[in-house]
Amino acid sequence: MKSTLSLEQYVDGIKKQNRAILAKAITLIESSLKEHQLLARELIREILPLTGNAQRIGISGTPGVGKSTFIEHFGMKSIEQGHTLAVLAIDPTSQLTGGSILGDKTRMQKLSAHADAFIRPSSNGDSLGGVAAKTFEVMLLCDAFGFDRIFIESVGVGQSEIALSNICDFFILLMQPGSGDELQGIKRGILEVSDLVIVNKADGDNLPQAKIAKHDYENALSVLKAKSSWPPKVLLCSSLEKTGFEAIEETIQEYYSKYFQIDFRHKKIKVWLKEIMIQQFKTKILKSKKIEDQIDKIILSSEDMLTDIDRLYERLVHD
Ligand SMILES: Nc1nc2c(ncn2[C@@H]2O[C@H](COP(=O)(O)OP(=O)(O)O)[C@@H](O)[C@H]2O)c(=O)[nH]1
Ligand SMILES: [Mg+2]
């Protein structure tokens, strides 16, 4: 970044809904320079009281399932209903190829041109803390800015979806009809954190298989989430033919009006923060020469590894 604005300029720009400044603030947050990070910390602290009004919705699914096409249409529908929308796309491949962003732009043409939408690919940085340490802060910025619906799109890769589900209120898993063994392809963990599974591409020749898939997911979810206070739903849609979207909107509205409590949001964020701290702690341990030397010493002189591991642990926590 060539020139950094002052803290006041960032805060003021966000309060006045200046998009150029929002974009700069996001770049600041994503920067890995120490001085930028310090300023970013202050910025987050300043804007935090302005947050809390946006619906935070995660949308996940493997590449090609139709996320961008879905978001283009569902995003436009959201805007027609009066929402202002931010879309943050976490795309691990974009840094390498740049290609999928281009593909996304062409699939989100209307949305990217619309004044009430803001689309931003989100870099994962060095990914300390999995998905979303930075995405979370970018989301807070967008919330403070005044977008009242935020989609966070990510490619389904397991552990990071669980993290994503913890920083969102409502987690949507997008699937497509397959060869009848859809359930084998997805990890239980992702299904477990899903509030809504949408079988996309329920059109044309795919329709019969989509219905079978819907049934399979409903069965799986009724077992996995038997104790959940929010009974997760499975819906069909076609992002190409633009069908099925009313039920999706109704489900989201039902969630926010009947089930959502601000406590849920805070609880999940705490779980996520704890996970990040544990990861950072692990990374620090692994990087510590002192600890590595101690481990080496014990391994070399070890006769009884298991009790030595206990002893090593005792020494680490008491040092
Ligand atoms: N038949 C059908 N094709 C779809 C639908 N939604 C997306 N596609 C196609 O699936 C491909 C991947 O879509 P894209 O939105 O880029 O998926 P993403 O990688 O998950 O973002 C494209 O060729 C889309 O035209 C749908 O509802 N029905
Ligand atoms: Mg895409």
Side-chain angles (χ1 to χ4, degrees), residues 61-70 103-104 107 153 174 176 200-203 206 237-241:
T62 48
V65 71
K67 294 180 297 301
S68 302
T69 318
F70 173 85
D104 283 349
R107 273 174 204 127
E153 176 198 343
L174 226 60
Q176 56 187 346
N200 187 37
K201 307 194 185 181
D203 46 43
N206 295 324
C237 93
S238 167
S239 301
L240 273 194
E241 295 182 353

Side-chain angles (χ1 to χ4, degrees), residues 243-258:
T243 54
F245 285 85
E246 286 76 16
I248 294 169
E249 181 62 45
E250 273 167 25
T251 303
I252 293 175
Q253 285 184 13
E254 189 190 347
Y255 177 82
Y256 276 102
S257 60
K258 291 199 191 144

Side-chain angles (χ1 to χ4, degrees), residues 278-294:
I278 291 173
Q279 280 186 39
Q280 293 193 343
F281 188 64
K282 277 186 193 160
T283 311
K284 282 220 165 75
I285 288 187
L286 291 175
K287 276 190 188 153
S288 158
K289 186 82 181 86
K290 192 177 139 209
I291 292 174
E292 195 185 332
D293 288 348
Q294 284 205 23

